[in-house]
Amino acid sequence: MIRKWLAAALVACSFQAFSLQDIADLEASSSHYIRDDLFVFMHTGAGRNYRILGSIEAGTPITVLDRDNDAEFTKITDNEGRTGWVESRFVSNTMSQAEQLPIISEQLADSQRSLQSAQSENARLRQQLNDARQQVSTLTTTNEEQAAEVTRLAAKVDSANKDELVTWFTRGGMVAGAGILLGVLLTYLPKRKRRNSEWM
């Protein structure tokens, strides 16, 4: 029995030596936790000389009920429904690392999944962009080829029109020349004498 009390006193003293930060004001709330130390003893009263009810593991969520006048001890209810007093320096309103770890791990996994999804979406959009650029390049080439073909056909039509115009002018000149020649020839042809239609 004496060994247990000595061990308890030794552990309590070691906790007091490890505590370096100031104690924040604690209000009655359930959003408090036992700090990330090994464990802390729960007493029946606001002092180390009160009987120890048991120990509370680090990171255990607790409900703060009250504080003593010196603010050294805080009355709590633990997750097992036990009510007692623990040293205020072991009470924190920050979730323990043990409980934060799965949450942080899940958040990290969600972030990694979101990152992978964003990377996949980015790759898909890049592929779509490359396909669109390829289509634009193909359409541009086709458009240039069609424009060149239109220019060639227009030049061919213009050339055909000029050739046809020259042909018509040539034919017209030939017809006009033939008419003039015929007119000249007709003027040099001897005229027939008219028969005397009078009766002898």
Side-chain angles (χ1 to χ4, degrees):
M1 186 68 181
I2 296 176
R3 289 181 180 178
K4 290 183 180 180
W5 283 103
L6 288 175
L10 182 61
V11 171
C13 290
S14 64
F15 284 152
Q16 191 170 20
F18 290 146
S19 177
L20 298 176
Q21 63 183 26
D22 295 333
I23 300 171
D25 291 336
L26 300 176
E27 298 178 358
S29 170
S30 61
S31 59
H32 289 84
Y33 306 87
I34 297 299
R35 279 181 40 202
D36 289 303
D37 295 296
L38 296 177
F39 60 89
V40 62
F41 289 110
M42 179 186 292
H43 298 268
T44 57
R48 296 185 191 90
N49 55 341
Y50 286 92
R51 184 170 59 89
I52 296 175
L53 294 175
S55 63
I56 305 177
E57 296 293 331
T60 301
I62 58 174
T63 300
V64 174
L65 303 176
D66 194 6
R67 298 186 63 198
D68 67 342
N69 295 331
D70 296 331
E72 292 184 2
F73 279 81
T74 300
K75 187 176 183 180
I76 65 164
T77 299
D78 66 0
N79 58 343
E80 297 179 4
R82 298 178 301 176
T83 299
W85 294 79
V86 296
E87 293 185 60
S88 298
R89 61 195 179 92
F90 295 123
V91 178
S92 172
N93 56 3
T94 302
M95 185 180 293
S96 68
Q97 295 176 2
E99 292 193 353
Q100 287 182 19
L101 183 60
I103 297 175
I104 293 174
S105 299
E106 182 63 27
Q107 290 175 347
L108 179 60
D110 291 341
S111 299
Q112 290 176 342
R113 285 192 292 267
S114 299
L115 178 60
Q116 291 176 353
S117 176
Q119 289 175 341
S120 300
E121 181 68 12
N122 189 27
R124 187 183 66 82
L125 292 176
R126 284 181 181 276
Q127 184 61 41
Q128 285 184 352
L129 180 60
N130 291 334
D131 293 341
R133 285 176 176 172
Q134 185 65 33
Q135 290 178 357
V136 168
S137 178
T138 302
L139 291 175
T140 301
T141 303
T142 303
N143 187 34
E144 290 175 353
E145 291 175 353
Q146 290 177 350
E149 181 67 14
V150 167
T151 302
R152 188 183 66 81
L153 292 175
K156 188 174 181 180
V157 169
D158 289 340
S159 178
N161 288 335
K162 290 179 181 179
D163 292 342
E164 186 176 1
L165 186 61
V166 170
T167 301
W168 279 106
F169 272 118
T170 302
R171 289 177 181 176
M174 291 174 62
V175 170
I180 293 172
L181 182 60
L182 183 60
V184 170
L185 290 176
L186 288 177
T187 57
Y188 286 100
L189 287 176
K191 295 181 180 180
R192 291 183 180 181
K193 292 183 180 181
R194 294 180 180 182
R195 291 181 179 180
N196 194 354
S197 59
E198 295 181 0
W199 292 92
M200 298 298 295

